[in-house]
Amino acid sequence: MRSLKLPAVSGFDEMIAPGGGARPHYTSYHDWLLRQDRGLLQRKRKEAELQFHRVGITFNVYGEDSGTERLIPFDTLPRVIPASEWDLLERGAIQRVNALNLFLHDIYHDQNIIRDGRIPAEQIFGNSQYQPCMQDVDLHNQVYSHISGVDLIRDGEGDWYVLEDNLRTPSGVSYMIENRRMMMRLFPELFAEQTVAPVEHYPTLLLETLQQSASYSHPTVVLLTPGQFNSAYFEHAFLAQQMGIELVEGADLFVKDGFVYMRTTAGPQRVDVIYRRIDDDFLDPLAFRSDSMLGVPGLLSVYRQGNVVLANAVGTGVGDDKSIYPYVPDMIRFYLDEEPILNNVPTWQCRKPDDLKEVLERLPELVVKEVHGAGGYGMLVGPAASQAEVELFRDRLLADPENYIAQPTLSLSTCPIFVEEGIAPRHIDLRPFVLSGNETRVVPGGLTRVAMKSGSLVVNSSQGGGTKDTWVLEGGEET
Amino acid sequence: MLSRTASDLYWLSRYFERAENTARMLDVVWNLSLIRFAVDTQAEIAAPLAITGTGDHYGSRYGKVTIQNVLFFFTLDADSPASIYSCLRQARASAHAVRGKITAEMWESVNSTWLELKDIRQMGLQAYGETAFFEWVKNRSHLFRGATYGTLMRSDTFRFLRLGTFIERADNTARILDVKHREGQQESNTTLDYYRWHALLRSVGAYEAFREMFSETINAERVAELLILRPEVPRSLLSCLQMLCELLPSIEGNAGLESKRLAAVQLARLQYGDMNHIVDIGLHDYLTDFLRRVNELADTIQSEYLELV
């Protein structure tokens, strides 16, 4: 049987089995791909680029001229996950987010997990993301993280791991939806042939989740954006439009007599739920950073009185911090009395002297991350780093060990993408989006991010990473 | 609707309308500059500077008034706030801010206009062709309006867009008429006069309307009547005010009392206006007074609906 010829790759490839030939759930797509001439993929890629430009699906890059808009590279080969495997990921992600919500409620109330000695108190109270102002604030349904992104990877053996949790303002879901629309536009015949689970109802589920975050029915929901120069502005506008809610900036809102209002052409209108895409620090200049121009003065006091809902809640950052990450499996056991369905990546906490010693010894082979870092900034990928970079990190680790964790360099799984030279494997990860309202739900699929450079493990869009459509395939069982 | 959103919608359509009217105005100037009369056409070439009140800004940048410089100043000059380039940049920025409120087709028409304009700017006006460029601007404006009419829900989103269009159009029609009129007064040359009024009618797309409504030779008084008092002509001052008076009361809520009053007063002045009366006052004084009133209305709309107070 004919098979796609790919440049040699070590580790786990999503499409091609070790002996050559497509994995069972990829057979149909793989055979279709073999029948296409290279010109078709070239043309389709051009068409996709033109269309994304025309529609303006762009993101802004920090550190470049303000207003600089770029396309996130989009790859036309889908990443396919069989339904049986998705079932595991879905259950695992829901379990994890449920435990994290229970954890957040606990640490802002009775703190049983600390009393029980599972997590050292200083790891919570010394964490810059911990918000003392949230102590004893009661939230509807006890949900803190209404929208969560769980970043998943596979190692060389094909085993799944959770790389990190995103409980603050996880982004990328608009690309999940737009990528699907693009694929259906480019390759309608593929969708006629196979049963790909739909993702386009995500905005409906999101709106339900936001409405359920208030204790009363028919709340007025708005989306709070930092404005059009924010890197994710496209997504904010997209989601607000899809949900049919107002896209507001801080200056559109004001606080009066214990409630939040927005300024409208017909006068002030009360706001009940704010889906905020602004970090805690910038929400309210009276409570947090006084130099913030993005927030709403007095918002926090209204929030603490229970007269407005913020999604996600204030203070969720302590749950997705890399210094808390190693404790998540224990949280699952502690709160749910279940074994974790998804594994953590083994992690050394550099604040522990023994861990630090081992990390320093093995530095060139490890990945080192700042505990509060995000977006691929401020990390060391040992095997890809120069001697000088490794030594720089050694100094940083010694100066401030508490600020770092380290993990083995996992060879992320690869998936073929279309590049200038043809089709070649590139490393990928997966971010499903978990919604917590009256129940916890996940849309089947997520955002597959791709490291566009050969061998690179950095998939972040701020670092040049791209995306692919993600197909959860009914009937495409792994055998 | 959020006041900020309403403001972006209003300014989106104002800037797009201004770009279109600028193209219309330049088209006339460009064509007149090509027709060499026995007389100097310098006044015609300088007319856009007078219409838009940008003479000083132009003078400080370019000095001498030449057709090439004036055209560049009003088309692709990124540093001139009066240029089509600047108008469409502003329109696109406003559209970007409210892209969730307008339909995908409307946004795409604004965005692709902007992307094409950047390409044209690279190419240069002469290389693209002056007339072709003016037609392109008009066509892009038609496309945006068509996308708006054909796809946008009839809500306040639609109404604030339309509000911007008619405020801007009323202002622009009055200005273009005023300048042409003043030129006509300065020197009397029957042939040139004919071409001036002919060109003006063409620029606002009202030549056919004139022919259909009046059987006489094109002359200043009839053109003024057409563009001030006739409800059949979509760019006339009366048509603009009729639209404004229809739009303002249909906006949700009870705000905007003063805006509605000012618009209604001005509508009555036009509805019951009389050409003989306008000639008695003098067309220039009449139009000066009209512009003052329209700008007062625009300021009132700004403060009653659009500002964050």
Side-chain angles (χ1 to χ4, degrees), chain A residues 51 54-56 178 181 241-242, chain B residues 99-112 144 147 151-152:
Chain A
Q51 182 65 11
R54 205 159 70 86
V55 180
E178 288 291 353
R181 287 184 184 166
Q241 186 191 34
Q242 294 290 310
Chain B
R99 58 177 297 171
K101 280 281 166 189
I102 58 181
T103 64
E105 288 169 44
M106 290 167 68
W107 160 250
E108 285 172 29
S109 91
V110 178
N111 195 40
S112 57
F144 176 69
T151 62
L152 186 65

Side-chain angles (χ1 to χ4, degrees), chain B residues 230-276:
Chain B
R230 299 310 289 246
E232 302 93 331
V233 178
R235 311 190 86 81
S236 75
L237 304 186
L238 175 58
S239 290
C240 294
L241 262 298
Q242 276 177 334
M243 287 307 298
L244 292 172
C245 283
E246 193 184 308
L247 288 163
L248 284 166
S250 60
I251 288 168
E252 286 174 33
N254 298 320
L257 195 66
E258 182 63 7
S259 303
K260 289 170 200 166
R261 191 185 70 79
L262 289 173
V265 167
Q266 186 51 40
L267 175 63
R269 292 171 63 89
L270 289 164
Q271 266 173 336
Y272 305 110
D274 169 37
M275 206 53 219
N276 293 326

Side-chain angles (χ1 to χ4, degrees), chain B residues 3-66:
Chain B
S3 296
R4 180 177 51 81
T5 306
S7 175
D8 278 318
L9 291 165
Y10 173 84
W11 284 103
L12 159 58
S13 57
R14 275 199 78 160
Y15 278 116
F16 221 132
E17 181 70 21
R18 191 175 296 176
E20 179 188 333
N21 288 327
T22 304
R24 291 179 179 283
M25 170 182 77
L26 293 176
D27 197 16
V28 178
V29 174
W30 169 243
N31 281 311
L32 280 175
S33 78
L34 294 179
I35 304 169
R36 299 289 173 188
F37 291 101
V39 293
D40 188 9
T41 51
Q42 197 62 23
E44 312 292 341
I45 293 168
L49 298 170
I51 294 177
T52 55
T54 49
D56 291 347
H57 181 62
Y58 176 92
S60 68
R61 302 263 318 280
Y62 296 93
K64 197 162 171 283
V65 175
T66 67

Side-chain angles (χ1 to χ4, degrees), chain A residues 6 12-15 26 75 77-80 413-417 424-428 448 450 468:
Chain A
L6 294 181
F12 186 92
D13 190 80
E14 300 282 343
M15 188 190 289
Y26 253 116
D75 182 61
L77 277 59
R79 185 259 183 89
V80 182
S413 64
T414 56
C415 188
I417 74 166
R426 292 288 185 274
H427 293 293
I428 58 169
T448 292
V450 186
K468 271 174 176 299

Side-chain angles (χ1 to χ4, degrees), chain A residues 9-15 23 79 151-164 325 345 367 369 379 381 383 407-416 425-431 447-460 465-466:
Chain A
V9 55
S10 63
F12 186 92
D13 190 80
E14 300 282 343
M15 188 190 289
R23 295 182 189 275
R79 185 259 183 89
D151 287 355
L152 300 168
I153 56 164
R154 303 175 97 164
D155 70 355
E157 308 303 311
D159 294 325
W160 290 93
Y161 289 92
V162 177
L163 188 63
E164 63 182 35
Y325 166 86
V345 178
V367 175
K369 296 174 181 173
M379 66 186 270
V381 181
Q407 293 169 337
T409 310
L410 296 181
S411 65
L412 308 189
S413 64
T414 56
C415 188
R426 292 288 185 274
H427 293 293
I428 58 169
D429 77 350
L430 175 67
R431 174 180 291 180
L447 181 67
T448 292
R449 299 187 296 178
V450 186
M452 300 303 284
K453 286 187 203 126
S454 180
S456 168
L457 295 170
V458 183
V459 296
N460 306 72

